[in-house]
Amino acid sequence: MRAAVPALAAVVVALAGCGNLSQEDLLFRAGVPAKQAVAVVPPGTEDEVDDALSTRAQGLQATRRQAVEEACDGDLLCETRNLARGFNGFTFFLLDIVDAISALPPTERSPGRRVWGPHFDADQGATFRFEMNRADDGATFSFCLHAARGFVGRAPAVDCDVESDEESGLQRVLTGSFAPSGIAGDSARLGKGTMRLETERLNRLNGEARFARVVDFAFDHTDGQTDIHIDMLGASVDEVERDAAYDFTRSAAGDGTLAFDVFADLVPGDGLLGRRQLERVRLRAAWLADKAGRAIGVVDGGNAGEQTFTIEQCWDTGLATVYRRDVGGEENGDVGQCAVEAPALD
Amino acid sequence: MRIAAALLCSLATLAVAGSAHAAPQRFAVLIAAHDGGEGLPRLRYAGRDATRLADVLVDVGGFARADILSVVDGDADVVRDLLEALRRRVEETKARGNEAIVVVYYSGHAQDGRLRLGDDTFAMSELRALLEDSGADVRLAFVDACGAGAITREKGATLAAPFVVKVDDALQTTGQVIIASSSRDEVSQESDEIQGSFFTHYLTTGLRGDADRDRDGQVTLDEAYAYAYGRTVAATAETRAGAQHPTYDFDLKGRGDVVLTSPGGADVVVQFPGELEGRYFVVDLDRQLFVAEVDKQKGGTSQIALPRGQYAIKKRLDSHLLMTRVQARAKGTIVVDERSMETVSFADDWAKGSPIAGVSSRIDQAVGFSFAVGGATSAVVATDGVDDGGLFPAVASFAGRARFHHLLRSQLTLDVDVAFGGTRSTRVVDGGALGTAAFDVDVRQAQAGGAILWEQPLGEVVGLDGITVLAGPRLSGLLFTHTFIGDVRPAGLAEQNFLTFTPGLEGAVAWSFSSWGHLEVGGRAMYLPYTVDSLRHLAVVEGFATVWLDL
């Protein structure tokens, strides 16, 4: 009897207060950015992006599978799709993890703060910890995601300031802030925010080659209008670290613009010591709601040397090329069939 | 020889009556009094003795529960009321042309020719007169008042004032037998080991079948008295108070025998075969009650009748116990096999029986089990004044309850309940700068609780017969589930829930509308610790109404 009373008391204390019946949890759920808020959707990727928005990546390798590239052969629209797949692959993968873990009851709750995990995700074969903090203004949430390969059996002393916890192996792979447009309905989880993808750490966890050091996103998805600015810092291109910036806009109706910098071997020739040389391609595209659009790529550097080449391409509503001007200035098709004016090059 | 002859004579009446009328109606009045007034020690087992006898009368004596009237710790007026109720029932029975047998039993203190009912007294002569006036064909009275010691305690009268008052010359009545638990100059005793008085203990054991000398499946008055006499004298011979000798007074005419019980026709018969020898105790595990003690002599077969249930049979040896568990769930005979009994230390005895005493104003309420269905409405009161946006809306529930009477001690009831309810509500979430959202939710609430309630029949206090008040502490588990419905839902979240424990108090008023059921209305106030968003101290208030079936 003497042992039963404290045992019963312990059970009561342990079981009391289990659950997630919380008003504030609903606010935090609204503060988790949706994949839709950061989706880059150039013409021709609408269906695959829709699929990706409604499904969850099945493993770390999915980041690469989702980024399977088309063979473009200098097709500018194709290049934009490949770039969009690359970015979406990383962001969707991480936000899928965030979405799954934040749907669970938080591991820690305190006013203005929620922590989930560390949770082992058998599908990913990895352990994740997600933390959100609500700013004093009540409208902005900051967040971070840590990941470790394998199982982390205890809760380490990790917070958003910790980049890497040696003891547990947890690496910070995502940070950001987000101001949702509202709490419920279409406005929840869509809004304005920033994200930093620690791609170098993520690639290390994947066991893959270095892709870039970090990728910064600034996004604003309000009333169906999407504006995304991406800075890729320390991108490993041709064994040289380069920085690049990307802009994407898309209206609720579907028309939009792209401004991407890509690197491609468009001009034949060998570089020093027989290495191939990549040319920088500044790609600008604009399209209408019916998908008909126009892109201009300016090639320089690499085998182009001091020269500058311009590639231009127009496509119709079925995404078939109706006009093309290649590196050598040769034109195919009728420029009069281009549905939009040539995007301005900055 | 005198009593045997007398009883043989007395039995004739019943036998003749039995041949003319197939089933005489049987009634009983059981009176238990723990307190004997100033200067007398409080008895521990008077109520329990009455309970045991009631069980035997119902199990194997042909008595209906509804025909057993009882009172515990009532005053003389209550006893008179019961005897008057008995008289009316006998009168109705006789008016229908049936014969009637009545049993009156008293367990308590007695002094100077009076039963001691707390601060009140009741003259033995009045009891005799009322018994005679009952009009029953056969009237039996058992008067048990005694007890003493560290293990046995003196129960009733002082040695100088015996309780059996002028049995020989004051209670001689045609058709009437009075049996007292001790003689004029002795005290009767009760025992902690058997959790009852010696006399009633052996009387009930005998009635269950161990007194059936001729193995005809029936225990007669003669057999029961002889058995109770012999066992009581033997068991009390070594006590500090000394041997206790039951006595009798009779005046019966006719031929035949008075059959008190028919254990041979019982559902469950426990048989102690010839090779067994020693003292065997039978404990009702469902109720933790001693129901019988069989002092088995080698050679003959003993058997006792029991209602269906779960029992422990144990044999006490010098250094340890032999114990076995018996599941008597179906009709049949269970043969005790000592070889299959497990050896158990005294400290590990798992069938000690709990020291319960007392019966309520109705014996059918005092023993056994009740269950109920009903409805409840609960609301959470925000004692901190915080507007939580409808986190805990008021909920109507359907409730089921069960109650175990007198498991722990007299007037204490163990009550368990479950309730399921729900409502449709709207949760309003204030996001500050993010605006406000309203989410429609289906709210479901499940509750399971247990309470220990003190039962106080008001009939014993202020004369409000049939009204009982109950109150006591309660602990419940409470599960809230909110399922989001409607067009506006939180992102990626379908359901929320919360489980907590809520200690509190419960009170109720019960009204008995028949011998088998009662209505109850009551309320609860419980503490609800909410711990999710922040620690909040909330209160749950609940009202309920239930309809009870008393088994």
Side-chain angles (χ1 to χ4, degrees):
Chain A
M1 190 65 187
R2 285 179 182 173
V5 171
L8 181 62
V11 169
V12 167
V13 169
L15 292 180
C18 294
N20 62 342
L21 185 64
S22 158
Q23 297 286 72
E24 199 174 18
D25 276 9
L26 303 182
L27 299 178
F28 277 94
R29 282 298 296 172
V32 177
K35 288 187 286 187
Q36 189 182 350
V38 294
V40 178
V41 194
T45 61
E46 293 86 353
D47 291 343
E48 61 189 84
V49 170
D50 281 346
D51 289 344
L53 291 177
S54 59
T55 57
R56 186 188 172 199
Q58 291 302 304
L60 288 171
Q61 298 304 318
T63 57
R64 304 307 279 173
R65 284 204 296 273
Q66 286 182 347
V68 168
E69 297 179 347
E70 298 176 64
C72 290
D73 294 331
D75 185 316
L76 297 182
L77 180 59
C78 173
E79 294 287 358
T80 64
R81 287 198 294 263
N82 279 343
L83 275 170
R85 290 182 183 114
F87 287 122
N88 289 341
F90 272 104
T91 55
F92 286 9
F93 162 68
L94 291 174
L95 291 180
D96 275 336
I97 291 169
V98 166
D99 198 29
I101 196 171
S102 62
L104 301 170
T107 310
E108 295 176 39
R109 281 191 183 88
S110 57
R113 183 171 183 263
R114 295 290 187 276
V115 176
W116 291 263
H119 285 305
F120 177 68
D121 186 327
D123 288 341
Q124 311 292 353
T127 299
F128 298 98
R129 178 190 183 277
F130 184 58
E131 177 178 338
M132 292 182 75
N133 291 278
R134 192 178 179 206
D136 292 339
D137 65 6
T140 307
F141 297 84
S142 60
F143 54 86
C144 66
L145 178 71
H146 286 78
R149 172 61 67 183
F151 176 74
V152 175
R154 62 176 186 79
V158 169
D159 60 26
C160 286
D161 292 332
V162 175
E163 294 185 5
S164 178
D165 181 60
E166 289 186 6
E167 192 173 343
S168 64
L170 284 171
Q171 307 273 325
R172 191 181 66 194
V173 295
L174 175 69
T175 56
S177 67
F178 182 56
S181 301
I183 304 171
D186 293 337
S187 59
R189 304 189 61 185
L190 296 176
K192 189 174 182 180
T194 62
M195 287 197 309
R196 167 164 283 197
L197 280 60
E198 311 266 7
T199 48
E200 185 171 22
R201 293 199 191 108
L202 189 60
N203 282 17
R204 276 207 299 268
L205 289 172
N206 287 354
E208 294 181 359
R210 185 174 183 277
F211 159 62
R213 204 168 60 247
V214 295
V215 179
D216 285 336
F217 279 72
F219 56 92
D220 185 354
H221 187 114
T222 307
D223 299 328
Q225 170 76 32
T226 306
D227 295 296
I228 300 174
H229 176 79
I230 303 169
D231 286 309
M232 183 180 289
L233 306 178
S236 178
V237 180
D238 197 19
E239 298 184 0
V240 176
E241 281 201 3
R242 301 171 192 256
D243 295 341
Y246 307 82
D247 284 291
F248 170 79
T249 66
R250 189 168 187 260
S251 74
D255 58 298
T257 63
L258 264 172
F260 284 0
D261 287 350
V262 295
F263 294 88
D265 188 10
L266 296 177
V267 180
D270 292 333
L272 293 172
L273 304 174
R275 287 182 176 174
R276 67 177 191 143
Q277 291 199 94
L278 300 179
E279 291 75 44
R280 186 174 71 142
V281 182
R282 286 178 291 152
L283 195 152
R284 305 291 181 267
W287 61 91
L288 302 176
D290 63 5
K291 299 184 185 177
R294 187 168 185 165
I296 291 179
V298 177
V299 181
D300 57 18
N303 290 119
E306 298 300 318
Q307 290 183 281
T308 297
F309 300 98
T310 301
I311 305 170
E312 191 168 1
Q313 182 182 356
C314 295
W315 60 89
D316 62 13
T317 56
L319 306 183
T321 300
V322 294
Y323 171 74
R324 177 179 171 83
R325 180 161 60 100
D326 63 17
V327 175
E330 184 179 346
E331 292 183 288
N332 290 295
D334 179 6
V335 69
Q337 293 188 33
C338 293
V340 294
E341 294 293 318
L345 289 165
D346 45 36
Chain B
M1 282 304 293
R2 182 186 173 199
I3 187 167
L7 291 175
L8 280 174
C9 179
S10 71
L11 302 175
T13 300
L14 293 178
V16 170
S19 62
H21 303 281
Q25 190 80 28
R26 296 174 179 235
F27 303 98
V29 168
L30 310 184
I31 305 160
H34 296 94
D35 290 318
E38 190 175 352
L40 293 172
R42 179 177 170 81
L43 301 175
R44 296 189 65 186
Y45 303 113
R48 187 163 189 160
D49 286 340
T51 302
R52 280 179 173 168
L53 184 61
D55 286 344
V56 171
L57 295 179
V58 170
D59 293 342
V60 291
F63 285 72
R65 284 275 182 205
D67 291 331
I68 299 177
L69 308 175
S70 71
V71 58
V72 60
D73 294 338
D75 59 17
D77 287 340
V78 174
V79 172
R80 287 188 189 96
D81 289 345
L82 284 186
L83 291 172
E84 172 59 19
L86 175 72
R87 189 195 63 76
R88 286 199 300 270
R89 293 193 184 195
V90 170
E91 189 176 70
E92 292 166 2
T93 300
K94 300 288 287 182
R96 291 194 297 269
N98 294 329
E99 296 181 353
I101 299 174
V102 299
V103 171
V104 173
Y105 171 86
Y106 172 75
S107 179
H109 288 281
Q111 203 169 33
D112 299 331
R114 304 183 75 83
L115 306 180
R116 301 300 301 262
L117 307 172
D119 293 329
D120 207 351
T121 62
F122 191 89
M124 291 283 288
S125 56
E126 184 179 358
L127 175 64
R128 179 203 64 198
L130 291 175
L131 191 59
E132 290 171 353
D133 290 345
S134 70
D137 298 279
V138 175
R139 304 176 296 279
L140 306 175
F142 298 92
V143 183
D144 184 357
C146 4
I151 295 179
T152 62
R153 74 177 51 76
E154 297 180 359
K155 179 180 178 184
T158 63
L159 285 169
F163 84 95
V164 181
V165 181
K166 300 182 184 304
V167 168
D168 290 339
D169 58 5
L171 295 177
Q172 293 181 356
T173 308
T174 301
Q176 185 160 293
V177 175
I178 307 289
I179 293 179
S181 62
S182 60
S183 62
R184 176 186 299 265
D185 298 324
E186 295 170 348
V187 294
S188 289
Q189 303 162 55
E190 61 180 7
S191 163
D192 285 330
E193 184 185 21
I194 59 176
Q195 296 173 7
S197 77
F198 286 105
F199 174 74
T200 300
H201 176 68
Y202 292 120
L203 176 65
T204 54
T205 295
L207 291 175
R208 287 199 179 276
D210 203 30
D212 184 14
R213 282 192 310 250
D214 57 10
R215 296 290 174 258
D216 64 351
Q218 296 180 325
V219 177
T220 63
L221 181 60
D222 178 27
E223 288 173 325
Y225 176 80
Y227 180 90
Y229 180 91
R231 298 295 302 277
T232 302
V233 170
T236 56
E238 302 302 322
T239 62
R240 184 170 63 87
Q244 170 187 331
H245 299 84
T247 57
Y248 69 94
D249 181 74
F250 73 95
D251 185 7
L252 290 173
K253 293 183 172 62
R255 300 172 60 81
D257 204 345
V258 180
V259 176
L260 291 182
T261 59
S262 300
D267 275 1
V268 178
V269 173
V270 177
Q271 193 173 84
F272 298 81
E275 66 269 21
L276 297 188
E277 182 178 20
R279 289 175 72 194
Y280 295 86
F281 293 91
V282 181
V283 180
D284 181 340
L285 290 176
D286 293 332
R287 293 190 290 148
Q288 284 294 309
L289 281 169
F290 271 101
V291 293
E293 175 194 343
V294 176
D295 193 3
K296 179 68 175 59
Q297 305 299 317
K298 199 161 188 174
T301 298
S302 295
Q303 59 184 32
I304 59 170
L306 299 170
R308 297 181 192 201
Q310 182 182 216
Y311 298 93
I313 296 174
K314 60 182 181 179
K315 179 181 183 181
R316 187 183 181 93
L317 303 175
D318 289 341
S319 59
H320 62 275
L321 300 168
L322 294 177
M323 300 183 71
T324 188
R325 187 183 298 268
V326 173
Q327 298 285 349
R329 301 298 187 193
K331 186 176 176 70
T333 299
I334 295 168
V335 179
V336 177
D337 181 359
E338 197 167 292
R339 290 166 300 185
S340 66
M341 297 173 80
E342 62 174 321
T343 299
V344 177
S345 69
F346 292 122
D348 294 331
D349 182 357
W350 40 264
K352 292 180 178 177
S354 58
I356 303 170
V359 289
S360 75
S361 59
R362 291 206 333 265
I363 198 73
D364 51 346
Q365 275 191 329
V367 295
F369 171 74
S370 304
F371 70 89
V373 294
T377 300
S378 64
V380 175
V381 178
T383 53
D384 53 7
V386 172
D387 178 6
D388 57 21
L391 206 57
F392 298 104
V395 169
S397 300
F398 175 78
R401 303 182 66 172
R403 195 168 278 171
F404 303 90
H405 299 273
H406 301 272
L407 274 183
L408 306 175
R409 54 167 298 176
S410 174
Q411 290 182 292
L412 277 185
T413 292
L414 177 62
D415 184 290
V416 294
D417 64 87
V418 293
F420 302 94
T423 188
R424 184 158 292 184
S425 182
T426 299
R427 289 257 303 274
V428 177
V429 180
D430 182 3
L434 292 174
T436 300
F439 300 104
D440 291 334
V441 286
D442 267 339
V443 178
R444 294 188 299 279
Q445 186 172 307
Q447 183 176 182
I452 297 173
L453 302 175
W454 177 266
E455 274 184 315
Q456 180 58 58
L458 293 184
E460 298 174 3
V461 181
V462 293
L464 286 173
D465 288 336
I467 304 295
T468 301
V469 293
L470 307 93
R474 177 175 181 270
L475 177 66
S476 68
L478 202 52
L479 174 65
F480 302 89
T481 302
H482 288 200
T483 303
F484 294 98
I485 57 174
D487 295 332
V488 179
R489 304 187 188 193
L493 199 59
E495 190 174 279
Q496 288 185 323
N497 53 64
F498 179 56
L499 170 67
T500 190
F501 283 88
T502 56
L505 297 173
E506 175 175 326
V509 177
W511 171 61
S512 297
F513 56 79
S514 79
S515 61
W516 51 265
H518 71 275
L519 297 173
E520 202 167 295
V521 294
R524 298 172 182 142
M526 297 175 286
Y527 166 64
L528 189 157
Y530 173 74
T531 57
V532 181
D533 278 339
S534 58
L535 177 59
R536 297 177 62 200
H537 305 287
L538 307 177
V540 183
V541 292
E542 190 166 284
F544 59 82
T546 44
V547 182
W548 288 83
L549 180 62
D550 302 315
L551 301 178

